[in-house]
Amino acid sequence: MVTDKIAVVTGASRGIGREIAKTLAAKGATVIVNYNGSAAKAEEVVKEIEEAGGKAEAVQCNVSEFAKAGELMDYVVKKYGRVDILVNNAGITRDNLLMKMSEEDFDAVINTNLKGAFNCIKQISRQMLKQKSGRIVNISSVSGVMGNAGQVNYSASKAGVIGMTKAVARELASRGITCNAVAPGFIVTEMTDVLADSVKEAVTGQIPMKKFGETKDVANLVAFLASDEAAYITGQVICVDGGMAM
């Protein structure tokens, strides 16, 4: 259960993050819906949660900035007294073939996807150690498990998230804090909607289950890993990908 837990979900205004926020709220958590760009979309998520009887609040923060991530965590701890669950979901893509990829595109993806996760974990770890409890769930990707052409930056960032997950899990395990990674495959979101039909067909051919996943497939797993039922699971990477990376 996650009843009465305080959860911070980064990049929660759309896609997988949105579904994670709604699922945690539906299961009884108070959810901080973090967003960077779209206040309107974040408020939409909060409204949906509240209309369903849940509790949520939208808070703007660019998690790729270390000090800003600290301000976000300080705000939540000051207002709610604790942070029980941190879901590092904020992520961007700047896809291109290696030969055409700019240094700027590489750095931008690493800064948000990998450093953003580090910033948030680092800034809340002292509080979780004080609580002697906490659930950290990092959203990686099958691209970080098996690599993907045209995604050198993204694959590197998401593979980095996996390494960081395992190191953090080892460091914090004795204090009742778990850290796990979820690696989604191709999930139906705004990010995959823009793919050409020919690309979708080619990708579907590589998935044993022959279909894209739904955001709820990822959110349900995250909610489980964030719950008391997953107290003895840490340092794991679980793919939600229809068998793609096996």
Side-chain angles (χ1 to χ4, degrees), residues 3-246:
T3 311
D4 299 328
K5 304 280 190 193
I6 306 300
V8 176
V9 183
T10 71
S13 65
R14 59 200 177 111
I16 290 171
R18 180 192 190 107
E19 195 67 32
I20 291 169
K22 285 165 62 179
T23 302
L24 288 172
K27 290 177 183 290
T30 296
V31 182
I32 309 306
V33 176
N34 161 254
Y35 68 96
N36 182 29
S38 179
K41 277 192 156 67
E43 291 297 349
E44 223 174 78
V45 180
V46 170
K47 194 176 169 210
E48 274 183 54
I49 288 170
E50 289 176 344
E51 282 174 354
K55 295 181 211 156
E57 177 184 358
V59 181
Q60 195 278 337
C61 172
N62 181 351
V63 296
S64 71
E65 295 181 35
F66 186 72
K68 295 285 186 198
E71 287 170 20
L72 168 66
M73 298 306 166
D74 288 347
Y75 169 78
V76 178
V77 172
K78 199 171 174 188
K79 182 165 180 179
Y80 297 95
R82 59 193 293 120
V83 171
D84 302 294
I85 299 159
L86 168 63
V87 182
N88 284 306
N89 169 74
I92 61 169
T93 55
R94 295 281 187 277
D95 295 354
N96 219 330
L97 293 172
L98 172 64
M99 300 308 290
K100 293 179 178 176
M101 186 174 290
S102 67
E103 181 184 11
E104 196 178 83
D105 284 346
F106 184 86
D107 289 348
V109 170
I110 295 291
N111 284 340
T112 296
N113 301 8
L114 180 56
K115 189 161 183 289
F118 164 78
N119 290 345
C120 291
I121 293 170
K122 167 76 178 168
Q123 297 286 21
I124 202 55
S125 56
R126 193 178 297 278
Q127 175 64 30
M128 285 186 170
L129 287 166
K130 207 157 77 175
Q131 296 167 187
K132 292 191 170 59
S133 69
R135 298 276 181 272
I136 300 167
V137 184
N138 298 321
I139 307 301
S140 179
S141 166
V142 289
S143 295
V145 176
M146 54 194 283
N148 192 25
Q151 288 195 316
V152 164
N153 49 3
Y154 189 75
S155 298
S157 72
K158 293 302 190 177
V161 164
I162 289 171
M164 185 162 63
T165 298
K166 294 180 178 183
V168 169
R170 287 184 184 276
E171 285 192 31
L172 304 183
S174 65
R175 301 297 284 276
I177 301 162
T178 66
C179 184
N180 293 288
V182 173
F186 282 83
I187 306 295
V188 179
T189 63
E190 289 168 22
M191 219 184 245
T192 55
D193 284 346
V194 299
L195 296 174
D197 289 343
S198 56
V199 174
K200 286 182 185 172
E201 272 174 43
V203 168
T204 305
Q206 295 170 41
I207 302 169
M209 291 184 83
K210 299 298 177 207
K211 61 176 183 176
F212 281 27
E214 303 288 335
T215 51
K216 69 177 179 346
D217 297 323
V218 181
N220 288 335
L221 174 60
V222 172
F224 169 68
L225 291 172
S227 74
D228 296 338
E229 286 87 346
Y232 200 57
I233 300 171
T234 198
Q236 301 306 304
V237 183
I238 305 174
C239 294
V240 182
D241 65 352
M244 192 177 182
M246 72 172 142

